[in-house]
Each structure stands twice: as structure tokens, then as C-alpha cells.
Amino acid sequence: MTNTEIIDICGLNSYYGDRQVLFDIEFGIPRNRITVIMGVSGCGKTTLLRHLIGLKSSRPKELMIEGEDMGGFRESRMNQYRSRIGVLFQSGALFNSMTVADNVSVPLRVHSKLHKETIRIIATIKLHQVGLSEFCDYMPSQLSGGMQKRAGLARALAMDPEILFVDEPSSGLDPITAAGLDNLILELKDTLGMTIIVVTHELESAFRIADQIVVLDKGRLLTAGSPEEIQTSQDERVVQFLERQADQKQENNEAYIKTLVGRQIPQVQD
């Protein structure tokens, strides 16, 4: 762990029951930079994110936060860590029964003892940061998909986090709205000096915002480096992903059906 890294992943393995889904993942997340975690669906991106935000436990010495072993965190220490992070979930995850401002206020109500008027002011400031100050009293259902993502981001920023986790920010958004969200993420890094971890499979967005790109495949780390290093990678799977090449079928239909039924397929007689 160097003083430039805020999080160090040290041979992280992850399981769901007896099924292993992450295999010896190892890389560092630099402070005050944007790290993008990429890969095809099912590669382990979301599982890795769950470990990083503390929703899935890690074994000792597998995940270090500024030199501290996250695997040894007790509940009070884990709560301290969570108070330092913000999370923008893929769907925005807004509460439909609350106004936009009330949604943004939730972390402050739970984790602070501020007066409700002060909380309202902070919520308005956060919504202003994401360009939604005029929509404080709207309900989530009255917002577009892109606006809901921005409202979710405002809530993630409510506690002035040091580390921001963003899950699939461009998912379901048109190109112009997605580009606006990319600009906002870059702004947060440049103006507030945040450490930002983005999970995505959107190539254009990743190469636009990333200082470091991590590529996963089938639960394994393929490569990690600068956008320039990733673009010049000779790894066949990385090249396939970047060039958006479909997987080649490994079996013909008859052989595939044989694996399902476990017996020879009878031949049709003329």
C-alpha cells in the first residue's frame, strides 16, 4: 500500500455459497482519482463493488482501507467507514413516497443531529450541485431517468464523502444525458478532490473519465492501468472487449443438446 492509494485489494476471493465468483483480485485504487471497473455482464463487477462498500464481507488482509484491514472491522468501525463514502446505485434507488429533497436528506437525518432546517438547506445545496435545485419538491416519478440519476448522486453527496462509488451511471440514458453525467463526475473529482470508483461497461464513458481502468473477466483480473495502457493491451480477451467482438460458438446445436440430455441423439431414419 502506497500513500497514493486509499484502497488496496490484496488477493480478494469471493463466494456465493460454494460457488467462487472472484479469484485473487489484486490492484490499488489511487486517492483523488477516478478508477473505472469494466467487464462484460457477469464478470464480477457488482460483487467487487459490494465488497468495497461493505455490503459483502471480506476475509482478513484481502481489502485494506488506508492500511486498515477491512476484514477485521467491527460494526462501529464499519459504520465510520460508511460515513466516509457515498454510493450512487444503478437505478438511483430513490424512495418513491418522498420528495427529491427529502430523499437527499435521508443520510443527514440518519447520521447527523442537524436541525431539520439546516438539513433542508444542505439538501438544496447538493441538488444545486447536480443541477436540480428547482426540483426539490418534485416526486421521483416526475423526473426523467437522467434526473433521477442526478438526484441519486445528490443523495450520495449529502455527507460530503471522501470516496464516491457509482454503479453503471450511463445505464438506460441517452448519449447526451450520459455525457452530462460524465462531466459531473469529472467536476466532482476536479473541484472536490474526490476518489471515485465507477462500475460500467460503457467504453466511451470509461475512456472519457478514467485515470485508471480495471478490466475483469469471469471473476479474474485481466489488466489494470491507464486508459492508454488498456488501449494498447495485447491480451486477447481485452482486445475482444474493446473491439466489441462477439464470442464464437464452441459447440454446434447437436453437441449442445447432448450435454443437456446426457445421451446420444438418435438419428432420424429416412
Side-chain angles (χ1 to χ4, degrees):
M1 177 111 183
T2 70
N3 58 10
T4 63
E5 293 172 347
I6 194 167
I7 301 175
D8 204 21
I9 298 101
C10 310
L12 176 65
N13 293 278
S14 186
Y15 300 81
Y16 288 105
D18 295 330
R19 179 172 172 246
Q20 188 169 1
V21 293
L22 292 180
F23 302 82
D24 296 318
I25 304 298
E26 191 160 337
F27 66 94
I29 295 176
R31 189 186 304 273
N32 309 134
R33 296 289 182 268
I34 298 176
T35 295
V36 171
I37 301 171
M38 298 178 65
V40 299
S41 297
C43 71
K45 302 187 300 292
T46 299
T47 297
L48 176 55
L49 180 66
R50 286 172 59 82
H51 280 283
L52 292 172
I53 64 180
L55 291 179
K56 191 167 175 57
S57 60
S58 305
R59 295 180 179 181
K61 305 297 183 182
E62 286 187 334
L63 193 55
M64 309 297 289
I65 309 296
E66 294 184 311
E68 285 192 78
D69 182 6
M70 191 174 180
F73 282 5
R74 298 193 176 188
E75 185 177 353
S76 59
R77 182 66 188 89
M78 183 61 77
N79 287 336
Q80 288 177 4
Y81 170 66
R82 287 177 178 148
S83 70
R84 297 175 56 196
I85 70 175
V87 184
L88 171 58
F89 295 99
Q90 181 175 345
S91 64
L94 300 175
F95 298 107
N96 291 326
S97 59
M98 295 182 176
T99 66
V100 172
D102 285 341
N103 266 279
V104 177
S105 299
V106 168
L108 294 161
R109 290 176 180 169
V110 172
H111 297 292
S112 78
K113 297 180 180 179
L114 296 172
H115 191 273
K116 63 180 181 180
E117 290 302 322
T118 304
I119 290 175
R120 173 76 181 190
I121 291 169
I122 293 174
T124 303
I125 291 171
K126 298 306 177 183
L127 286 167
H128 177 73
Q129 277 186 285
V130 301
L132 291 178
S133 57
E134 298 178 6
F135 298 90
C136 290
D137 296 320
Y138 279 58
M139 303 301 288
S141 61
Q142 296 175 293
L143 303 182
S144 67
M147 293 167 75
Q148 288 183 20
K149 284 279 180 76
R150 285 174 175 263
L153 181 56
R155 186 176 61 189
L157 297 174
M159 296 288 291
D160 293 323
E162 298 171 49
I163 309 170
L164 177 66
F165 295 94
V166 183
D167 187 16
E168 298 286 2
S170 303
S171 176
L173 302 183
D174 64 83
I176 294 176
T177 303
L181 204 52
D182 287 346
N183 288 342
L184 189 52
I185 290 170
L186 287 168
E187 227 176 273
L188 292 172
K189 182 197 77 168
D190 294 338
T191 60
L192 301 178
M194 280 186 181
T195 300
I196 303 175
I197 297 95
V198 179
V199 171
T200 186
H201 61 271
E202 297 287 345
L203 293 174
E204 186 175 351
S205 174
F207 282 102
R208 185 162 183 246
I209 66 176
D211 296 298
Q212 172 179 246
I213 293 178
V214 175
V215 185
L216 301 181
D217 185 52
K218 297 177 182 177
R220 290 178 167 84
L221 176 67
L222 290 183
T223 187
S226 68
E228 295 75 21
E229 290 170 330
I230 301 303
Q231 286 178 317
T232 56
S233 172
Q234 299 302 305
D235 185 285
E236 290 183 5
R237 190 63 170 167
V238 174
V239 172
Q240 180 186 4
F241 180 70
L242 296 182
E243 294 183 357
R244 302 180 67 188
Q245 299 172 0
D247 283 324
Q248 297 297 314
K249 291 185 177 179
Q250 300 299 315
E251 302 172 310
N252 60 34
N253 289 339
E254 182 176 309
Y256 176 64
I257 294 172
K258 282 165 62 177
T259 65
L260 295 180
V261 300
R263 58 183 174 82
Q264 180 67 42
I265 300 173
Q267 298 297 314
V268 178
Q269 302 295 320
D270 292 332

